Amino acid sequence: TTYYWRPADKLFAQDVQGETAAADGIADAGVKREDFYVIKHTQMPAVLVETAYLSNAHDGAMLQQPAFLDRVAAGIVKGIMDFTGGPKASPPTPGPSP
């Protein structure tokens, strides 16, 4: 689920939700408008992403996997880039070999 408060942030939430849901493989609970302090009291576009729940055994196991966390992060980044029109996210380049 991706939450927004200001009507102007709905498209932002939709972009982030679409990319995150596509990346993480968890059920897509959609976009919702909620009165959460962290997204209501900002001066910039703001969304709150809930991707998995520790109270759910399957989700909790997924949250312990670095590959899952990387997919979630990449989905959020892609959603931000979709919304802002910024450069498309690309995989990190490998560093020098030890």
Side-chain angles (χ1 to χ4, degrees), residues 37-97:
Y37 189 91
V38 296
I39 55 177
K40 185 176 182 180
H41 297 280
T42 65
Q43 299 299 314
M44 70 210 80
V47 297
L48 174 66
V49 179
E50 283 188 348
T51 186
Y53 298 94
L54 290 173
S55 59
N56 176 301
H58 176 262
D59 289 3
M62 296 295 288
L63 287 165
Q64 294 178 11
Q65 298 176 14
F68 174 76
L69 299 175
D70 288 345
R71 287 193 311 272
V72 169
I76 294 170
V77 168
K78 282 183 74 177
I80 292 169
M81 293 303 169
D82 289 351
F83 178 72
T84 64
K88 299 299 177 200
S90 58
T93 55
S97 298

